[in-house]
Amino acid sequence: MTAPMTTAAVWLAVMLIGGIGSVTRFVVDRAVARRMARAFPYGTLAVNITGAALLGFLAGLALPKEAALLAGTAFVGSYTTFSTWMLETQRLSEDRQLRAAFSNIAVSVALGLAAAVLGQWIAGLL
């Protein structure tokens, strides 16, 4: 049995893994947005849906406490972005693109929940 990580090691790992998650978010968001080239925030949608699937998968694995903290909070927490989702939705509504704004909310919630359930189901198969 391995010893639990020290507090300093956990903080350092959260910083490093969180940095990797945020850079990954930036890369994925930009790649999808560039490919789609539309006013709708497809990049953020892709990031949040894949993040929900990954977090569901991690939850389904029943990881040890430190591993769950590092994978779920540090990586997925820095990878996904609630604040950007809300800001982009608000900007769509400011631009009077109400259908797109409400679609962003509905699609994000519906697909996010489905992705989390799917991720958890996949982990359960392992």
Side-chain angles (χ1 to χ4, degrees):
M1 186 161 159
T2 62
M5 293 177 70
T6 65
T7 302
V10 170
W11 279 96
L12 182 60
V14 167
M15 288 187 293
L16 292 172
I17 295 169
I20 293 167
S22 63
V23 169
T24 304
R25 175 182 72 219
F26 179 79
V27 169
V28 170
D29 178 39
R30 294 296 164 211
V32 171
R34 199 173 314 118
R35 180 169 284 237
M36 299 304 288
R38 311 242 175 173
F40 191 83
Y42 287 107
T44 301
L45 179 65
V47 162
N48 286 340
I49 300 309
T50 56
L54 180 57
L55 193 57
F57 179 78
L58 294 170
L61 293 178
L63 299 171
K65 183 180 175 183
E66 283 89 4
L69 171 72
L70 296 176
T73 303
F75 183 80
V76 180
S78 64
Y79 174 69
T80 58
T81 175
F82 181 81
S83 57
T84 301
W85 173 51
M86 287 292 96
L87 179 62
E88 289 170 342
T89 302
Q90 190 265 336
R91 285 185 176 161
L92 287 170
S93 66
E94 277 182 351
D95 292 341
R96 298 180 189 254
Q97 296 181 33
L98 297 180
R99 182 175 288 161
F102 286 116
S103 294
N104 193 31
I105 294 168
V107 168
S108 294
V109 170
L111 290 181
L113 288 171
V117 169
L118 178 64
Q120 196 168 16
W121 178 75
I122 291 170
L125 294 176
L126 301 178

